[in-house]
Amino acid sequence: MRAIGIILAGGNNHGLRALSQKRAVGAMPIAGSYRAIDFVLSSMTNSKVQKVGVFTQYNAGSLNKHLSSSKWWDFGRKQGGLFVFTPTITADNGFWYRGTADAIYQNLEFLKNSHEPYVIIASADCVYKLDFNKVLEYHIDKKADITVVCKDMPKNVNVERYGTLKMNEESRIEEFEEKPLIARSNTISCGIYIIRRHQLIDMVEKCVGEERYDLVRDILIRYKDMKHIYGYKIKDYWSNIATVEDYFRTNMDFLKAETREYFFKEYPEVYSKVADLPPAKFNKGAQVKNSLVASGCIINGSVEDSVIFREAYIGNNCIIKNSIILNDVYIGDNTRIENCIIESRGTMRANSYYIGEDGIKVVVEKNDRYVI
Amino acid sequence: MIKKEMIAMLLAGGQGSRLGVLTSKVAKPAVAFGGKYRIIDFPLSNCINSGVDTVGVLTQYQPLRLNTHIGIGIPWDLDRNIGGVTVLPPYEKMDSTEWYTGTANAIMQNIDYMDSYNPDYILILSGDHIYKMDYEVMLDFHKQNKADVTIAVMPVPWEEASRFGIMVTDEQRRIVDFQEKPATPESNLASMGIYIFNWKTLKEALLANADRPNLDFGMHIIPYCREKEYPLYAYEFNGYWKDVGTLYSYWQANMELVDIVPDFNLYEEYWKIYTNSKAMPPQYLSSDSEIEKSIISGGSEIYGKIYNSVIGSRVTIGRNTVVRDSIIMDDTVIGADCELEKVIIAENVKVGDQVRMGVGEETENETCPNIYNHGLCTIGEKSVIPDGVTIGKNVCISGLTSPEDYPDEKLLSGKTMIKAGD
């Protein structure tokens, strides 16, 4: 592969409400036993990208723990590898990452010391599978300066929180707006870009020299008429998880057979850190309908239309409906949970009641847990 | 110079013929257990959890699956700069070439491997028991008693003692006598096949007995050490320990895992059991599924009803199928509208629709009644069972079977059907 990868996993995120207090979006648990960043990392390793830098800043504890070994994604190699870059104070710099372009600028040595001619830039908060070789082929074919991976969203989806764009017949991008007040197109940027390495180095240096720090606003949008920026449309599953509603919907998508088929059964697969947990255990009284249950769970109650992440314990006579229970949650007996996302490691007391009345309720419970 | 206080030698070369068709293509230690695990995971995990980071695994019978499973030992943290796991198959020598002819013979052929770590103690393990044990505590016991040999023992019910190798000890736990499957046992302490030897003693005993055919620990080495009046001690272990050497005991041990709080608990954070598995998707349970008293491993898709069973990874169970008291291993696909009771289905098996297994009267198996008994129906790996057939009890099937193999769409109790090749 003639490209290195950069994963931007640094930003804070308010769309995820209480869920982002604990971790960066890239570390959000997805589909029972994965984390969001697994999807981009797996796509990169499956595309034979050998060298990947992950830029983290906000609340990176969970993410760093997840990335503690590169072997899960087969990056533990002599050639290339997985590198995590957090902001550091140096003789020339005392800032946090002031934006995505600044994050790249502060780690420009990573780019300068590579020999691959291209760079793939992607974010850590999307769920998809993508063969970057095809995007790169397209990029070279089009003689593009920058290629932006994009997707047509269904008409009923509100695209105002994305970057929207319009292309001409040759797929060259003519309009690009970030988070428009009123969207003029339902084609959105997936936050995945390919650019020549030297071009990126030049642009980022120039950009930061002018005290501009954002990759989208100050490079993509600013240069769109001067440089050849092309769009590469994808049709397969792609979902961003940066709001509670989208996060919930993305997880629930995995209850559909075709989504599971696409991600879990079709080659190539998605990798994640191995957790060494025993199989899920269903005791007498367990009643599970249309749900995903991950390893290490112990189920005693009733579960319907829900995604239960690893090591959750669900007590006797519980009723869990249309909810997401994150890792290592303990739910005491006779508890009812509907339309909720239960934050990981929470402890729900017995006989309690959590219902999302209008929309999804995020529950963060820090009760004491007594375990023998 | 490299120095390891204690290294482990894990005997994993046996066929385990009493597991019948389950071990026709794999060595017993590589047989699946408890859904996602393989039997060898238990001693290997015990090693790393006890701080033993150098393990030689002696292989001989059908080693492919075992070798791929062990790899370089990553899942057990046994990929080490110094030590780690080493697979030790029999090899050709300048003047002689022989297979491993006995447990102690296999160890003797690897004296160079053990010498290279300059150990004080050698831990001898076998790859066919399910248990969690801290070998470091056993080593402490060994050192305290200034023993030359320590044998792990566990108390068994007196009426069963005559099925085991029994150790007779004094109050200090020093072994004064032993009896192999005695008619009138003098003690109920059964040997678990786990030994700690002082390396010097073991090496001397191996070399002194080198010429004996089928050199065996229980038959030759331990008696030799006793004759020489070396201090032999018995270390009593009281935790869960299960020999899964027969199909019935294998099935029983699996069934015990689904109890509310099983005697052998895999859900404790302490003393984890590791295995070589990829990160697995969660299991999906459909709207029509029903599951009670069962454990199910990652990536399985359940559309039917499962009671009291152990299901491996990436298994598919079709709509309206009912599975009871059964073991189903990795990657097996069971069709719709089936009824399975007391079956053991190995990996990568395809079962068609409307298949009934484990039905009818119990009849003794025609070929191997000592293997296929207790009403269990056993299906070997990569077998294919066609739609609509009915299969009895104490049955064994292996290979690609087609409707012609089932007169009147039936295979009666007690039948054995092994089809050669693919």
Side-chain angles (χ1 to χ4, degrees), chain A residues 90-372:
Chain A
T90 63
D92 325 317
N93 176 53
F95 295 107
W96 291 90
Y97 295 150
R98 287 163 290 185
T100 43
D102 189 41
I104 296 174
Y105 178 77
Q106 287 192 29
N107 297 291
L108 216 51
E109 289 302 310
F110 175 67
L111 287 179
K112 286 183 172 169
N113 293 340
S114 300
H115 60 85
E116 290 84 348
Y118 299 97
V119 183
I120 301 163
I121 303 173
S123 63
D125 57 354
C126 298
V127 173
Y128 61 96
K129 273 178 166 181
L130 182 59
D131 184 352
F132 291 110
N133 290 298
K134 287 195 181 135
V135 190
L136 182 60
E137 215 171 276
Y138 176 89
H139 178 83
I140 295 168
D141 216 43
K142 287 280 181 194
K143 297 191 174 62
D145 290 308
I146 303 174
T147 297
V148 179
V149 176
C150 54
K151 185 177 172 68
D152 288 337
M153 295 302 268
K155 286 274 184 287
N156 57 349
V157 172
N158 189 347
V159 296
E160 271 94 41
R161 71 179 189 85
Y162 298 103
T164 62
L165 50 89
K166 263 189 178 164
M167 305 190 272
N168 67 12
E169 309 79 69
E170 273 94 57
S171 299
R172 184 166 169 182
I173 293 174
E174 291 184 322
E175 283 181 34
F176 197 126
E177 278 188 288
E178 181 67 353
K179 299 189 176 71
L181 284 173
I182 296 163
R184 282 184 288 179
S185 152
N186 69 329
T187 308
I188 60 155
S189 158
C190 298
I192 303 163
Y193 319 107
I194 289 195
I195 181 167
R196 205 156 45 77
R197 188 168 53 90
H198 284 295
Q199 175 102 63
L200 179 63
I201 293 171
D202 291 347
M203 282 177 145
V204 163
E205 278 181 333
K206 187 147 181 276
C207 181
V208 173
E210 294 165 351
E211 296 190 357
R212 298 171 193 272
Y213 305 112
D214 190 73
L215 194 65
V216 175
R217 203 173 50 232
D218 301 322
I219 292 183
L220 281 178
I221 295 180
R222 199 166 142 83
Y223 284 90
K224 80 174 184 315
D225 299 326
M226 203 171 111
K227 297 286 183 186
H228 297 272
I229 304 184
Y230 284 84
Y232 175 92
K233 264 193 196 165
I234 52 169
K235 294 203 170 64
D236 287 323
Y237 188 96
W238 177 91
S239 180
N240 178 283
I241 56 152
T243 68
V244 167
E245 289 66 32
D246 282 320
Y247 175 71
F248 188 83
R249 182 187 44 74
T250 304
N251 275 295
M252 289 304 175
D253 280 345
F254 282 86
L255 295 181
K256 297 177 195 152
E258 67 265 23
T259 314
R260 290 197 308 278
E261 180 76 24
Y262 178 64
F263 281 102
F264 299 157
K265 303 216 169 133
E266 275 176 32
Y267 183 84
E269 56 191 295
V270 182
Y271 311 101
S272 187
K273 184 174 176 173
V274 171
D276 292 300
L277 293 171
K281 188 160 183 283
F282 301 86
N283 290 329
K284 202 165 166 49
Q287 256 199 334
V288 185
K289 306 279 178 203
N290 188 38
S291 297
L292 284 166
V293 178
S295 295
C297 286
I298 299 179
I299 312 282
N300 295 296
S302 132
V303 177
E304 208 176 322
D305 303 323
S306 297
V307 181
I308 316 291
F309 284 70
R310 287 165 173 165
E311 285 184 284
Y313 175 88
I314 295 178
N316 296 315
N317 300 318
C318 284
I319 297 177
I320 317 288
K321 265 191 186 161
N322 196 41
S323 292
I324 293 176
I325 314 289
L326 296 184
N327 303 310
D328 194 17
V329 166
Y330 181 96
I331 300 177
D333 295 351
N334 314 316
T335 289
R336 190 181 178 96
I337 294 174
E338 267 180 60
N339 306 331
C340 288
I341 300 177
I342 310 290
E343 175 61 298
S344 61
R345 311 203 192 287
T347 300
M348 313 289 118
R349 290 207 176 101
N351 312 311
S352 46
Y353 190 78
Y354 302 89
I355 310 278
E357 298 286 357
D358 31 64
I360 303 307
K361 179 172 175 180
V362 176
V363 180
V364 182
E365 277 288 8
K366 291 178 180 160
N367 297 319
D368 287 332
R369 188 184 306 186
Y370 302 100
V371 187
I372 306 152

Side-chain angles (χ1 to χ4, degrees), chain B residues 267-293:
Chain B
Y267 295 82
E268 296 162 328
E269 191 50 39
Y270 177 68
W271 214 266
K272 250 189 186 183
I273 303 300
Y274 301 95
T275 186
N276 187 355
S277 79
K278 290 181 291 190
M280 281 293 162
Q283 44 269 48
Y284 176 73
L285 310 158
S286 85
S287 311
D288 315 319
S289 71
E290 253 183 56
I291 311 218
E292 231 180 59
K293 278 196 80 185

Side-chain angles (χ1 to χ4, degrees), chain B residues 86-151:
Chain B
T86 309
V87 175
L88 303 167
Y91 55 96
E92 207 173 335
K93 298 163 199 74
M94 276 294 273
D95 41 1
S96 73
T97 298
E98 55 172 349
W99 293 98
Y100 293 153
T101 58
T103 51
N105 174 273
I107 302 291
M108 189 184 66
Q109 291 195 41
N110 289 288
I111 283 180
D112 288 348
Y113 169 78
M114 293 179 282
D115 258 339
S116 69
Y117 291 104
N118 190 23
D120 295 328
Y121 309 102
I122 303 282
L123 171 66
I124 308 284
L125 303 170
S126 62
D128 45 9
H129 299 139
I130 307 295
Y131 64 112
K132 295 181 186 176
M133 180 172 175
D134 192 340
Y135 304 132
E136 211 175 355
V137 176
M138 182 174 168
L139 180 62
D140 287 343
F141 174 89
H142 180 84
K143 287 186 203 165
Q144 268 165 22
N145 288 302
K146 300 200 169 51
D148 271 12
V149 186
T150 297
I151 301 172

